[in-house]
Amino acid sequence: MKSNHALTITLPPDLAEMVDLKVRSGEYASEEEVITESLRSLAAESAGLEDWINEQVLPTVDRLAANPSSAVPDGEAWGQIKAHMDQRRSSSHSTK
């Protein structure tokens, strides 16, 4: 069984208040639980970002480097991004 490592931390007032609110609301049993869950969430988010970079971004960069003529002009790319965001936004509103 792993033993815990005690730390003393100082938080800015807004973050300290957030931790206090989470405990007072009953969402978490202790300040330690809030911080622990937050760090686990951060680690998962970081791992997800790294996976996305390795699985999607880098292969795309490699494909573009191998075939630069396949690049989409920036105006067209932004148009595609905007259309995608608009579609996601409208579909999220329709599910609420």
Side-chain angles (χ1 to χ4, degrees):
M1 180 176 167
K2 293 181 182 180
S3 63
N4 289 338
H5 179 80
L7 295 175
T8 301
I9 62 170
T10 302
L11 297 173
D14 59 326
L15 294 180
E17 178 63 21
M18 185 185 306
V19 171
D20 290 340
L21 285 170
K22 295 286 186 183
V23 175
R24 283 197 313 263
S25 74
E27 189 176 347
Y28 292 88
S30 67
E31 294 167 338
E32 176 185 345
E33 203 175 277
V34 176
I35 301 299
T36 299
E37 181 62 28
S38 298
L39 290 172
R40 285 187 178 131
S41 179
L42 178 61
E45 182 179 313
S46 295
L49 180 59
E50 189 166 329
D51 289 346
W52 174 72
I53 289 170
N54 289 326
E55 295 169 10
Q56 305 253 337
V57 175
L58 293 177
T60 301
V61 169
D62 291 342
R63 282 192 304 274
L64 183 58
N67 185 8
S69 65
S70 67
V72 175
D74 63 342
E76 184 180 333
W78 282 114
Q80 291 175 7
I81 291 168
K82 184 182 179 320
H84 177 75
M85 291 171 60
D86 290 346
Q87 181 183 4
R88 288 189 61 153
R89 200 173 293 123
S90 67
S91 67
S92 72
H93 290 313
S94 65
T95 59
K96 290 182 181 179

